[in-house]
Amino acid sequence: MSFRAQILGAAAGGGLPQWNCGCENCNLARSGLIPSQTQSSLAVSANGRSWAILNASPDIRLQLADTPALHPTDLRELPLASVLVTNGDIDHVAGLLTLREMQPFTLFATAGIHDVLSDNPMFDALNADVVKRSTIALDTPFELAADLTATLFAVPGKVPLYLEGETVQTDLLGDQTVGVALQAGQTQAYYIPGCAVLNDDLRGRLEGADMVFFDGTLWQDDEMVLAGLGKKTGKRMGHMSMSGPDGSIEAFVGMDIARKIYVHMNNTNPVLRPGSAEKAQAEAAGWIIGQDGMEITT
């Protein structure tokens, strides 16, 4: 048995280039000088025949087309067993509307996330007679695909932007933002595309992991503010930054993790430029900068 994880999309919401952005990274990507990246999604399998997709990106049609392992094996036969969404963010659920073509699979999510989907009648396009919606309790193992067990756990974060009220808690612990623990044979992997802080509980969970796919949204907390692209910091959006004394690079120092991979990177993040000093700094600290199409195996 060999665990396989393929990054379908390495970027945060909007992708790279983002359609309405003229920042340095987006212009470089449009010019073909740095690689373009689609929006956040990961495919995983324990045997190469039965696959699960973690988060349904708005770019999922192109991502599936670019991933031969997920191509149809017959007229309407796919190796896709399930889709799991880790929160209700648009860049993680909008792709479900592309998967509405009467294709059987199981849709896994917590009760809170399923409520978000149920409250929007547009998602009824996923025919309930074809797509089974399965509600998963936190800290309860379940079969995600053949030979692959998953467990959802609370991660400090916040509700989706469209559900924010006047008061926003950015380190909320509950079932609205979750991480995924994946077990295939002796392999232990984690997928955490959104995280506000690496608390002691999360640190304990990740210790000794074979691989961790982790929130790489911003390089520095005020990155978007300095770029003139918004007023929100990374902390306000519920995301740790990579750099700085309270960033993820520092937070992971000394932890026993075989491979650490950044995913969900914003279009402004300088690590997306192959020759940047920031990318070199992250790699020197033992991090892999995720890219569309990258496959990590054990």
Side-chain angles (χ1 to χ4, degrees), residues 16-18 21-36:
L16 178 73
Q18 183 173 303
C21 185
C23 74
E24 180 180 1
N25 281 358
C26 287
N27 288 335
L28 288 171
R30 289 190 185 96
S31 301
L33 297 177
I34 66 173
S36 296

Side-chain angles (χ1 to χ4, degrees), residues 112-158:
I113 299 171
H114 271 309
D115 286 345
V116 170
L117 299 176
S118 297
D119 287 344
N120 188 329
M122 188 174 293
F123 288 102
D124 290 342
L126 285 174
N127 191 321
D129 293 331
V130 179
V131 176
K132 177 185 176 182
R133 298 194 185 194
S134 181
T135 299
I136 302 300
L138 296 181
D139 300 309
T140 303
F142 63 99
E143 185 178 77
L144 181 66
D147 304 318
L148 181 60
T149 299
T151 305
L152 305 184
F153 54 91
V155 172
K158 70 175 189 64

